[in-house]
Amino acid sequence: MATQVLLVDDFDHDTRADHTLVFAFDGETYSVDLSDENAAEFRELMAPYINVATRLGKHRPEKNPVNGKRPSPALARPSMPSTTNGKPWYKSEPGGPAETEKAKKRYRNMARDWGRENGYDIGDRGVIRDEVYVAFEEHRLAKGLPVGPASVGLS
C-alpha cells in the first residue's frame, strides 16, 4: 500500500498547497505552504516592499522531505533594482565614498556591456534604461550570480 502526502494551504486550511514560499522578516526565516491563489496574493502584497528593499542574496532552503523539492522563493524575479532614497543603488552620489562610487561605476559598465551584447539599444551617450538593469539582474539570477550591490562587492 502506498502512502500519499498532500500539503494543505497553511492560510485557509481548506485547499491543496501548490507552493512552499520561504521569506525572512525581522531576522527570522519562515516557510508557508500556499495554494496558487494565496501564493499570488502573497506575492502581490509583498511586491511593493520587495521592490524598494535591498537584496541580500539567495537563501537555499533545505529540500522538502515530502516531495524532495526546494521551496520556491516568494518573488524570484526582480521587477526593478532596489533603491535608496528613491534612487537606484547604482546611481552616483555626489561626495560618496570613492570605493563605493567606483563599484557602482563597475556595475553600470557591466550592465551596459551586457545590454549591448544582448541586443539592447544603449544609444550613443551610453544611457542605460531601467529595463536593461532589470534584464541584467534577471540574467545574473538565472546564472546563480550575485545581484545588486553584492555583484560588485558592496553589501
Side-chain angles (χ1 to χ4, degrees):
M1 175 182 258
T3 302
Q4 184 178 20
V5 178
L6 296 175
L7 295 177
V8 177
D9 186 297
D10 291 331
F11 190 70
D12 65 21
H13 305 288
D14 289 331
T15 55
R16 188 179 114 233
D18 302 301
H19 305 271
T20 300
L21 302 181
V22 177
F23 61 99
F25 181 74
D26 280 347
E28 295 288 333
T29 303
Y30 300 90
S31 169
V32 62
D33 298 321
L34 297 174
S35 65
D36 282 334
E37 183 179 327
N38 286 335
E41 184 177 346
F42 179 85
R43 289 180 172 107
E44 186 178 319
L45 290 169
M46 293 300 295
Y49 301 97
I50 291 172
N51 287 340
V52 298
T54 300
R55 185 175 172 85
L56 300 177
K58 283 190 176 187
H59 168 72
R60 298 288 296 175
E62 296 300 316
K63 289 184 180 178
N64 183 322
V66 174
N67 63 15
K69 296 180 181 176
R70 293 187 190 278
S72 61
L75 285 174
R77 186 181 159 123
S79 61
M80 187 55 213
S82 51
T83 62
T84 305
N85 298 329
K87 186 176 181 181
W89 72 268
Y90 47 83
K91 297 290 185 178
S92 292
E93 287 289 329
E99 289 304 312
T100 301
E101 293 306 309
K102 285 180 188 176
K104 290 177 179 183
K105 183 174 176 29
R106 222 174 24 254
Y107 178 84
R108 292 190 303 268
N109 289 338
M110 287 168 38
R112 180 180 295 109
D113 293 345
W114 180 89
R116 281 190 178 126
E117 291 169 10
N118 289 277
Y120 287 88
D121 180 22
I122 302 299
D124 295 337
R125 293 185 0 196
V127 176
I128 308 167
R129 293 187 319 273
D130 290 340
E131 72 175 17
V132 176
Y133 287 111
V134 171
F136 178 59
E137 295 251 316
E138 288 174 346
H139 165 77
R140 291 185 65 83
L141 276 174
K143 295 277 191 179
L145 299 170
V147 295
S151 62
V152 288
L154 298 175
S155 52

